[in-house]
Amino acid sequence: MTLPEQGLPVDEVLRRVEQAAAADLPWREGLGWSLVYNAGEDHMSLVEAAGARYADANGLSHSAFPSLAHFESEVLEMVASIVHPATTSHGIFTTGGTESILLAVKAYRDARGEGRTTIVVPRTAHPAFGKAAQLLGLRTRVVEVDASRRADPGALAAAICDDTLVVGVSAPNFPFGVVDPVAPIAAAAAERGVGVHVDAAVGGLFLPFVDGFGKPFGLDVPGVTSVSVDLHKYGYGLKGASALMFATKELRHGAYFLDTGWPGGSLASASVTGTRSGRAAAGAYASLLRLGHCGLRATVQEIMATTGRLVRGLGALGITPVTEPDMSVFAAGCESIDIRAVARGLQQRGWWMDVQSDPDALHFVVMHRHAAIVDRFLTDAAAVVADPPPRSEASAGGAYGVMVRTDTGAADPIEALKHYLDGRYDQTS
Ligand SMILES: Cc1ncc(COP(=O)(O)O)c(C=O)c1O
């Protein structure tokens, strides 16, 4: 479409904005298993109101908006008090898990690099480590995980070489929901003088409240030198919010971009972005203040109860977790059932299913909203398992975060992903 000559009436603009949502993930009804984390309508209303109040505030300048500096530093302190209560950390408020990992890796490169160019990660680490490596001119060394899909401390330690800049691990990893053995890995890395970044994007505000988990994963663990925790996941803030916390100021300085040569003035930047809305900082602040320890614990307990119902119900159908998850994120499959056909059948019944490969499995991130709908899901799943639709080649691709079709004519999977992005930006209506 082209820009209209005359601006449209308000009602028409709102109608078009609303209409565009028709094809979106129906997350409010609980029909999807990823992408939107929330803690109920009342909580979201509060968080959105706080965010809307600061939507136009610009995080580029904490001098002009001390409110945002206040929200960000308070959020960092609250998160630190949960993740590593015994250690002082030096944080940066970022826009999400990816930016946190990118800035963490930049910090190691610029504060401790000394020519070291390789990030060592288990195969289950988030692709944001690979993205960081590509953007920062580094390399990743990817190490196979053990049978439980956790990083293998021995294999990771063996992969640390003279060129290793940092080791990255997950708490938990996204594909399987299991936490890497942080303590032995951090100890082995520390012996070699190498830092460890713990990506606790998903688990940072969840694992500390899971009954019986009890393993520290933050800066209290000797050898862990940075950790990231997303507020827009199980912190129930607005999207664009993550806490990146370093063990030392020296490391945090490595994440900064500082420039004094520009005629427009000096720039002191602790983020990848320039201008950014104050929504996310105000939303994260409001969310944590409203929930407190008790609220976070209660949501975790409710979600773990729902997770248990889901795992047991799927198990009764023969679909079991690929590995026993440490929290509310897991993959479930079955050697004797065509999982892709099951996913397709569920999609035909209105569910938005995430499918991953290696092995083929349905992927679940359980939220508060699923408590009300898990029984309906299990009823539908039972019907589909009993009578699965024929497998469609068009739905054969498993892809994270994007629904990539493999019927585009592109033989190479990387070409298929490129085609997907081209299509996303080239669409005309
Ligand atoms: C373990 C983990 N790390 C990092 C990320 C990236 O976070 P974001 O999408 O906020 O950039 C995700 C996203 O799901 C994740 O699951």
Side-chain angles (χ1 to χ4, degrees), residues 37 95-99 101 126 128 170 172-174 199 201-202 230 232-233 400:
Y37 295 71
T95 57
T98 300
E99 189 186 7
I101 288 171
H126 193 273
S170 317
N173 66 46
F174 188 76
D199 171 15
V202 174
D230 287 1
H232 60 204
K233 295 193 171 78
Y400 159 81

Side-chain angles (χ1 to χ4, degrees), residues 82 205-206 209 234-236 287-288 290-303:
I82 295 168
L205 293 172
F206 198 100
F209 302 104
Y234 285 113
Y236 309 110
S287 180
L288 291 187
R290 174 75 188 115
L291 288 166
H293 273 267
C294 291
L296 282 169
R297 186 178 300 285
T299 60
V300 167
Q301 282 173 347
E302 182 200 40
I303 291 170

Side-chain angles (χ1 to χ4, degrees), residues 40-287:
E41 288 300 321
D42 290 351
H43 185 75
M44 280 324 284
S45 300
L46 167 75
V47 169
E48 277 163 13
R53 169 70 181 77
Y54 289 89
D56 294 321
N58 193 339
L60 174 66
S61 174
H62 281 175
S63 316
F65 295 101
S67 54
L68 301 188
H70 171 69
F71 297 148
E72 292 184 5
S73 57
E74 298 269 297
V75 166
L76 287 163
E77 261 186 55
M78 287 190 270
V79 173
S81 73
I82 295 168
V83 173
H84 37 251
T87 305
T88 302
S89 54
H90 307 277
I92 296 176
F93 188 93
T94 80
T95 57
T98 300
E99 189 186 7
S100 283
I101 288 171
L102 176 59
L103 285 178
V105 173
K106 172 178 149 34
Y108 289 96
R109 188 194 67 175
D110 292 354
R112 294 190 173 178
E114 292 158 4
R116 288 184 281 184
T117 52
T118 303
I119 309 166
V120 173
V121 280
R123 193 158 69 89
T124 46
H126 193 273
F129 285 101
K131 192 183 215 178
Q134 188 185 72
L135 290 169
L136 295 167
L138 303 166
R139 279 190 304 268
T140 50
R141 185 172 301 127
V142 178
V143 180
E144 205 37 74
V145 289
D146 69 15
S148 76
R149 265 69 177 184
R150 291 178 177 83
D152 175 340
L156 267 195
I160 298 174
C161 303
D162 291 344
D163 71 348
T164 303
L165 179 63
V166 59
V167 174
V169 293
S170 317
N173 66 46
F174 188 76
F176 304 106
V178 290
V179 179
D180 290 327
V182 175
I185 293 169
E191 242 174 59
R192 307 285 300 270
V194 171
V196 171
H197 178 80
V198 178
D199 171 15
V202 174
L205 293 172
F206 198 100
L207 291 166
F209 302 104
V210 173
D211 286 339
F213 179 71
K215 289 188 216 73
F217 54 85
L219 296 173
D220 288 348
V221 180
V224 172
T225 43
S226 56
V227 56
S228 46
V229 175
D230 287 1
L231 279 309
H232 60 204
K233 295 193 171 78
Y234 285 113
Y236 309 110
L238 299 171
K239 287 185 176 45
S242 174
L244 168 60
M245 296 163 289
F246 293 106
T248 65
K249 275 199 176 164
E250 165 241 3
L251 263 179
R252 181 167 69 177
H253 289 167
Y256 292 168
F257 176 78
L258 309 168
D259 181 78
T260 53
W262 190 46
S266 297
L267 177 65
S269 171
S271 64
V272 174
T273 57
T275 289
R276 73 194 149 90
S277 167
R279 261 184 108 240
Y285 178 73
S287 180

